[in-house]
Amino acid sequence: MRSKTLAERAAWQFVAEEGGGMELAAVHPVAVIGPVLGPDDPPSLRVVRGVLDGAAPVCPPFATSWVDVRDVADLHVRAMTDPAAAGERWLASAGRSLRLVEVARLLREQCGEHAAKVPTRELPLPVARLLSRFEPNLRALRPQLGQDFDATGAKAERLLGWRPRPIERTLADTADSLLAHGVLRGG
């Protein structure tokens, strides 16, 4: 996160000092998911893949906002082509924050038998914090445990006409593509 913040600051500074009339718009996506184009295993989808694989018997207690990679691309195009976007920062988020256990529930609803290993319960926060001292996957989530990272793309919707897909559709498309490309083994 720090490197992205520093890079954006440098971009704004460059445009202000040496841009020669150049315009800049910054697009900030929340947790990006969506269908894969091949058998890659992108880090951004490891949470979804881990839930579908049943890598953990329970979900860690945190929530974040999500967005489809296709909608992020659409917002980038709008930010490059709509004059209203110049000089603005745009948040790409497909709606309210969802707890990981809610994402798991949606995957169960969307994916049927392929979601047989999806956990149905959330790890209690005190237990998660204790385990995060020893368990590497939870250690990486430690700053997010118990947090709700709610974000809205309402500004982009209102001013640029951006319309993100429903997260339910994105989750189903993501799971289908992981199965189709062999990144995820069937149920």
Side-chain angles (χ1 to χ4, degrees), residues 33 38 64 66-67 81 105 110 112 126 130 133 146 148 152 158 163 181 187:
I33 59 175
T64 192
W66 306 81
V67 67
T81 59
R105 181 185 49 77
Q110 298 290 321
L130 177 66
R133 296 179 182 179
D148 182 357
T152 178
R158 187 177 65 254
R163 298 288 179 261
H181 291 290

Side-chain angles (χ1 to χ4, degrees), residues 29-160:
V30 292
V32 180
I33 59 175
V36 296
L37 299 176
D40 296 333
D41 185 18
S44 62
L45 294 184
R46 289 193 181 139
V47 169
V48 173
R49 192 198 66 223
V51 168
L52 284 167
D53 275 346
V58 292
C59 293
F62 80 94
T64 192
S65 295
W66 306 81
V67 67
D68 191 301
V69 66
R70 298 167 292 188
D71 296 327
V72 174
D74 177 49
L75 184 53
H76 274 93
V77 170
R78 290 170 187 268
M80 288 187 292
T81 59
D82 191 322
E88 297 288 336
R89 301 174 83 226
W90 303 95
L91 192 56
S93 176
R96 72 174 180 84
S97 176
L98 294 174
R99 298 191 72 75
L100 192 55
V101 72
E102 291 176 278
V103 170
R105 181 185 49 77
L106 289 170
L107 285 167
R108 275 187 169 271
E109 290 172 8
Q110 298 290 321
C111 302
E113 66 189 46
H114 297 297
K117 298 177 185 175
V118 171
T120 58
R121 297 175 320 195
E122 184 174 82
L123 188 63
L125 181 58
V127 175
R129 286 191 172 136
L130 177 66
L131 290 175
S132 72
R133 296 179 182 179
F134 314 102
E135 166 43 49
N137 291 330
L138 277 177
R139 186 177 305 125
L141 292 174
R142 190 174 215 173
Q144 297 167 312
L145 294 175
Q147 299 295 315
D148 182 357
F149 295 97
D150 212 4
T152 178
K155 177 181 170 183
E157 292 178 38
R158 187 177 65 254
L159 298 176
L160 301 180

